[in-house]
Amino acid sequence: MKTIGIDIGTTSIVLVLLDCERREITDSRCEANHFLPGGFRQDPDRIVDLVVEMLGRLLEEGEEVSGIGISSQMHGILYVDEAGRAVSDFYTWKDDCGEDCFRGKSCADYLSESTGYPMFSGYGTVTHFALGRRDEVPKNGKYFTGIGDYLAMRLCGVSEPAADATMAASFGGYDLCREAFDLERLEKAGVLISFYPAVLKRGVKAGSRMAGRYRGIPVFWSVGDNQASFFGAAGRSEDAVCVNVGTGSQVSLFDRRRLPCRWGEVRPFPGEGYLYVQASLNGGKVYERLALFLEEICSVLPEECLSGMRVNGYDLAQRLLRQKESTDLSVYPSLYGARGRKKRFGVIENITEKNFHPSDLVRAYVAGMAAELHDMYGGFPDGLCGGRRKIIASGNGIRKNELLRQEIERQFGMPLYLSGLAEEAAAGAACLAGEWSLF
């Protein structure tokens, strides 16, 4: 049996063809995803058009496919009209309108305090509330939905969205016990509740997870990319720590129990159990900024110093890292702040005459990236961390950076393995489509 997995990420759109029995990707496609000028919004119809084109090329090759699963970047929303067509841009998880001031605090902080549910700028509920305050909710909008579910709607010709629990919980204001939005508290806080999509509880039959069919192939409502990535990398393993470094980064643990967690989030997992997540705004983009910094320095050197060669910042960073195995210089490269504490940016400490070298700076920078991940892991309850024996790494930001993997192993004190499937989120969505297609 073969299934297709589609992952709509922040910076790329990936499609994989998975042989479910051999657990092997037999074909894959990738297209860049872009922000619209001037902010962190994306064009939902362009995304759909790209996916349809990618699907068309694959299906023209005559592959027999049993199901299509979708993994979606979480938190963000777009509005659709009565016909199920987009009437707004897609406001991604990076959109900051939730920082708008309301009653002396940000919209995100106001909703968190008013409802009792932790929410941050970029969460769908916060974005929806802030747009309502600005009077920017589209007049012809009927529902809001995530980008993955919008894709499912368009592929299947569906006019009303639904949301898997993994996606619904990412919007904010979601009751894990009842597996439903807490509409009463949200309305009391001033949120326009008529726009929320229907929620698919995890106990419903697999057939109910179908949005419809595309060219006769079952298409399933989307799952959150964090859960899909974990499933693609580690299944439902309870002895693994999953570290994902993409545009942002996450440290995730799966457990069948629902335990109190002071820091981070408890997210529903497909089928059963929960994913305990510490998420950071910093990730692969932080390392990209280091590479660009090195390129910028080289760009001001005379041409004769470079012998006419163009410097690749990533390659230079790796060369510098290999020159210095450790350093007492300390760098915490929180370039994009911390979720809920956006003014907590990066620091460089303990600069001395002995460590004031490019190789020390790069080594400390990468060590700081690993330290942030380990700090997030330390925020989990002790009852969750016991019995964890390995790290499974996923995401291109870590897959392509051997020395970051070494630093993570060193700081966690556990062996690190790359997940067996590349493009873990798309592969996880394909695996889930395989499970659901059996029923």
Side-chain angles (χ1 to χ4, degrees):
M1 179 173 67
K2 290 186 177 181
T3 57
I4 290 174
I6 302 164
D7 176 49
I8 304 176
T10 311
T11 57
S12 61
I13 302 167
V14 177
L15 181 150
V16 301
L17 181 67
L18 181 77
D19 185 320
C20 296
E21 293 181 5
R22 294 161 57 191
R23 198 174 170 82
E24 178 181 315
I25 293 173
T26 60
D27 198 353
S28 65
R29 314 289 166 93
C30 183
E31 295 283 351
N33 203 1
H34 301 290
F35 291 118
L36 294 167
F40 295 108
R41 303 176 188 179
Q42 294 175 332
D43 182 341
D45 289 319
R46 173 188 173 273
I47 291 171
V48 170
D49 290 343
L50 281 172
V51 173
V52 168
E53 183 181 344
M54 294 163 74
L55 274 172
R57 291 200 302 267
L58 179 63
L59 295 175
E60 283 171 7
E61 296 176 3
E63 294 285 357
E64 291 189 12
V65 176
S66 300
I68 298 174
I70 301 170
S71 160
S72 174
Q73 54 175 293
M74 299 162 71
H75 309 303
I77 61 170
L78 66 134
Y79 294 90
V80 297
D81 61 17
E82 288 188 352
R85 299 301 294 259
V87 291
S88 76
D89 296 335
F90 172 53
Y91 297 82
T92 72
W93 60 277
K94 291 179 69 69
D95 190 85
D96 61 359
C97 68
E99 293 297 317
D100 286 2
C101 185
F102 180 66
R103 296 185 181 176
K105 58 195 69 173
S106 71
C107 289
D109 288 343
Y110 165 77
L111 286 177
S112 296
E113 294 176 17
S114 299
T115 66
Y117 293 95
M119 297 190 220
F120 304 100
S121 186
Y123 279 31
T125 289
V126 178
T127 299
H128 176 54
F129 177 76
L131 292 174
R133 299 297 309 168
R134 294 180 177 183
D135 196 28
E136 292 181 8
V137 174
K139 302 303 181 187
N140 55 341
K142 185 172 178 62
Y143 302 102
F144 68 68
T145 187
I147 186 62
D149 291 320
Y150 180 61
L151 171 63
M153 293 169 68
R154 289 289 309 279
L155 291 178
C156 303
V158 175
S159 60
E160 294 187 11
D164 179 81
T166 60
M167 284 302 299
S170 78
F171 295 142
Y174 182 83
D175 188 327
L176 279 174
C177 295
R178 293 191 296 119
E179 294 198 37
F181 292 109
D182 195 335
L183 297 178
E184 184 177 349
R185 287 195 194 182
L186 291 170
E187 185 174 38
K188 189 174 181 181
V191 180
L192 301 170
I193 63 171
S194 64
F195 288 82
Y196 281 81
V199 177
L200 298 171
K201 295 187 177 182
R202 291 183 294 166
V204 301
K205 294 180 180 179
S208 301
R209 303 199 169 279
M210 276 181 54
R213 293 179 181 271
Y214 177 73
R215 296 192 182 183
I217 304 168
V219 177
F220 298 95
W221 293 108
S222 73
V223 295
D225 58 357
N226 181 212
Q227 290 92 329
S229 180
F230 191 100
F231 192 76
R236 294 187 175 90
S237 172
E238 293 187 78
D239 68 347
V241 179
C242 191
V243 175
N244 178 274
V245 181
T247 305
S249 60
Q250 300 92 27
V251 178
S252 309
L253 311 176
F254 171 74
D255 200 289
R256 287 173 172 78
R257 303 166 295 169
R258 188 164 62 85
L259 302 174
C261 192
R262 185 177 180 186
W263 305 110
E265 296 182 59
V266 184
R267 296 175 175 173
F269 200 73
E272 62 174 334
Y274 300 90
L275 202 62
Y276 295 80
V277 184
Q278 299 279 359
S280 170
L281 300 173
N282 304 289
K285 276 289 184 184
V286 167
Y287 193 73
E288 179 186 56
R289 293 306 308 171
L290 172 64
L292 292 173
F293 172 76
L294 295 174
E295 290 178 6
E296 187 175 341
I297 291 176
C298 294
S299 71
V300 300
L301 296 175
E303 280 192 24
E304 55 267 25
C305 295
L306 300 176
S307 302
M309 296 178 62
R310 176 177 171 81
V311 173
N312 183 300
Y314 291 98
D315 292 343
L316 181 55
Q318 293 293 302
R319 284 165 49 198
L320 290 168
L321 278 168
R322 290 188 173 91
Q323 291 176 14
K324 183 71 65 171
E325 291 189 1
S326 63
T327 179
D328 58 354
L329 181 66
S330 176
V331 178
Y332 202 81
S334 181
L335 304 189
Y336 300 99
R339 183 164 273 161
R341 294 168 291 171
K342 288 209 169 181
K343 293 184 179 179
R344 180 189 167 191
F345 292 107
V347 295
I348 301 176
E349 295 180 328
N350 198 41
I351 304 176
T352 67
E353 179 186 6
K354 292 183 178 180
N355 65 28
F356 192 51
H357 301 285
S359 56
D360 286 86
L361 176 64
V362 174
R363 172 59 68 179
Y365 191 99
V366 173
M369 292 176 65
E372 183 184 28
L373 295 167
H374 187 256
D375 289 347
M376 292 194 293
Y377 177 67
F380 290 119
D382 292 338
L384 279 176
C385 296
R388 308 286 168 174
R389 296 191 294 270
K390 61 186 176 183
I391 299 169
I392 298 181
S394 62
N396 288 333
I398 196 169
R399 186 176 288 277
K400 297 180 179 179
N401 194 332
E402 176 188 355
L403 297 175
L404 175 59
R405 298 198 300 271
Q406 291 177 5
E407 282 291 347
I408 291 171
E409 274 193 320
R410 180 186 303 176
Q411 298 202 30
F412 278 74
M414 299 181 199
L416 181 149
Y417 305 93
L418 288 173
S419 66
L421 290 170
E423 303 297 354
E424 294 84 2
C431 290
L432 287 166
E435 278 195 5
W436 293 332
S437 295
L438 294 173
F439 299 96

